[in-house]
Each structure stands twice: as C-alpha cells, then as structure tokens.
Amino acid sequence: MGHSRADGTPAELMDGLLARAQNGFEIGEAVLAQARSALMHQSELRSCRQCNERCGQLGYSTYRHVFLLPDGSSLLLWELEHNTGEGDRPLYELYADEDALTLAERRVHDRLGGARWEELDGLPLWLPDQLLHTAEPLESSRAYVADNSADHARRVLRRAENPDRPGEETERLLTTAFAHDIALAPKPRRRSGGPDATWCRFYEHAFLLAGGDEVVLWELEHNLTRDGRLVCEVYLDEVSAELAADRHARALGVDL
C-alpha cells in the first residue's frame, strides 16, 4: 500500500482526508473547523502490518495527522488505510478518537488473520527506519507573524505545568512581543512496548521583542504521566526540553 504525504495548507489536507475517508461523515463539524484553521500540519506513519496471501499482499497502515492550532495546542486525527475489501483498491477510514481507531485496527487485523490481537500486546509496532532516530533540526528561516504575539506567549506560559518553567523575567520580556513563529520540531519518537499510547512532541515558539531581541520557548507536549494525561511543559532551550522528556520516559520505563 502507498500513502503520499499531503502538501499544501492544513485546510487542503483536511479536505483530502475527508474526501477519501469512507466514514468522513463521523468527523464532527467542530473538529473540521479546527483543522481547517490550523497554522501548519504534519503527517507521519505510526504503524503498519502486512502479510502475503495467494491473491497478493494484504495489510494496513495507520497515519497520525497533527494540526497545530492558532492557540498553540494541537489536534490529532488518525487515518487507517487498508486493502481488505473487494479488489485491490485501498480503503481509508478517519478517526478523531484513538479508542475508535483501535477498534477499527482490530477489525482489520482480524480480517488479515494470523496472530490474535491480544498476542500483539508487548510487541513493538513496526516503524520505518527514519522514524527510529531523532531527526536533525531543519535549517529554515523563520516566518514571523504579527498576530497578538504577546497574548500567544502568555497562553504558552500559562499552560506550562513544569515547576522549572520560565519565570517572571521571561514573562515581562514577552509582554513586548510583537511577532512570533511556531515550528513543529522534527523529533519523531519510537513508540514501543505494546499498543502505541506514547505521545511526545516538541514545538519551538520564537518571539520578536519590541527592542529587536528574540526569545525562544521550547514546548514539550507529552502523556508520559502516571495517568496518561496529556500535559505541556515549557523550557528556554531545546536541551532542557529533551532532558525532561527523557527523564519522564525513564520514570515510566518507556523507551523513546
């Protein structure tokens, strides 16, 4: 099966996902509106399974589509691609809820046969080699946008839950921010040890200040918490954010 990563705007990606999904009607209008208003998007392969049959190769792949929203938060959509229907035509299903995705994956998995779904627990999901290593940061010029930048900085700092988040001095500096740029850092993580429930992502928020200086905040978004709750942490440099992610992972015995 093949899957081409969609280029263009987030709205164009959303329309493309919706157009090919068999169950596109299940995606609510609020989710569609959020995705179409996103500032940027990224698509990545999460897992796949293939098996050879007399009639050819059968299998399924799951893709994660991340939409970065104007308030700095992210929206996740899950796309399941498989060829277990009639003929060789690939079929697509779209989900905004990961539990619903899991049920769909199990249904398709059962059609393929082989190992029972329960027997996969504890086995690492297949991921391509390029996703098994931390990618080098991409060198690119920032595209600053003047759009309530000081308020965006305030929201980023407000949602930070780490006790060592940037303090009052940084908050004071960012009140003069007049432009900002948000980048989704290319740091894919390997998810291993059973069902893929680990979420760990980095965002770079760069701000231009009234005096011409620049302040960069690194936001770590993850669910490496005891209850699996998604949280955000903010740091003043990339290394601190990386170390925090590794520290949380070790505490839970998770390999990133």
Side-chain angles (χ1 to χ4, degrees):
M1 290 183 295
H3 186 281
S4 59
R5 173 176 169 178
D7 294 320
T9 67
E12 290 170 340
L13 171 62
M14 185 67 251
D15 290 342
L17 293 175
L18 206 59
R20 64 175 177 250
Q22 298 182 96
N23 63 333
F25 58 88
E26 296 180 358
I27 305 300
E29 289 297 328
V31 172
L32 296 179
Q34 280 188 305
R36 287 171 176 146
S37 70
L39 301 176
M40 60 186 298
H41 68 272
Q42 178 170 306
S43 302
E44 60 187 25
L45 177 66
R46 187 186 83 157
S47 63
C48 75
R49 182 193 171 203
Q50 293 181 335
C51 65
N52 294 317
E53 297 289 342
R54 295 177 188 174
C55 59
Q57 192 176 69
L58 296 177
Y60 64 88
S61 300
T62 300
Y63 297 87
R64 180 179 8 232
H65 301 282
V66 186
F67 295 82
L68 183 61
L69 304 181
D71 65 358
S73 62
S74 58
L75 169 70
L76 301 183
L77 288 178
W78 312 87
E79 184 179 32
L80 177 62
E81 176 189 4
H82 62 92
N83 60 352
T84 62
E86 296 182 1
D88 297 327
R89 183 174 62 89
L91 303 174
Y92 300 91
E93 301 174 26
L94 191 62
Y95 297 95
D97 179 77
E98 193 170 5
D99 290 337
L101 167 72
T102 300
L103 291 175
E105 286 179 324
R106 178 167 185 162
R107 166 174 43 81
V108 174
H109 176 88
D110 290 342
R111 290 182 188 174
L112 297 182
R116 296 197 310 272
W117 180 265
E118 293 80 3
E119 293 174 352
L120 297 182
D121 189 25
L123 296 179
L125 292 170
W126 184 93
L127 286 175
D129 289 341
Q130 63 266 32
L131 290 183
L132 300 185
H133 307 285
T134 299
E136 292 297 323
L138 298 178
E139 294 294 332
S140 61
S141 58
R142 293 194 172 105
Y144 284 101
V145 176
D147 183 16
N148 295 321
S149 300
D151 187 58
H152 173 70
R154 181 184 59 81
R155 293 197 305 270
V156 171
L157 291 173
R158 185 179 59 188
R159 64 174 172 261
E161 298 190 26
N162 52 309
D164 54 344
R165 61 186 178 276
E168 294 180 359
E169 177 61 21
T170 301
E171 292 180 15
R172 184 186 63 78
L173 289 173
L174 289 172
T175 59
T176 68
F178 67 91
H180 68 280
D181 174 70
I182 308 171
L184 183 61
K187 295 176 181 294
R189 297 292 196 172
R190 183 175 187 174
R191 285 86 174 176
S192 62
D196 183 8
T198 300
W199 174 252
C200 184
R201 179 65 66 186
F202 298 85
Y203 299 93
E204 184 186 38
H205 303 264
F207 299 90
L208 278 182
L209 307 184
D213 292 330
E214 180 186 70
V215 171
V216 178
L217 299 179
W218 280 86
E219 182 179 16
L220 167 62
E221 184 182 55
H222 68 88
N223 66 348
L224 299 170
T225 53
R226 292 296 176 185
D227 57 359
R229 182 173 58 92
L230 190 67
V231 300
C232 293
E233 302 180 12
V234 176
Y235 299 90
L236 283 174
D237 60 86
E238 181 180 5
V239 172
S240 296
E242 283 274 12
L243 290 175
D246 292 337
R247 183 173 64 252
H248 294 313
R250 287 197 306 271
L252 294 179
V254 174
D255 294 326
L256 291 181

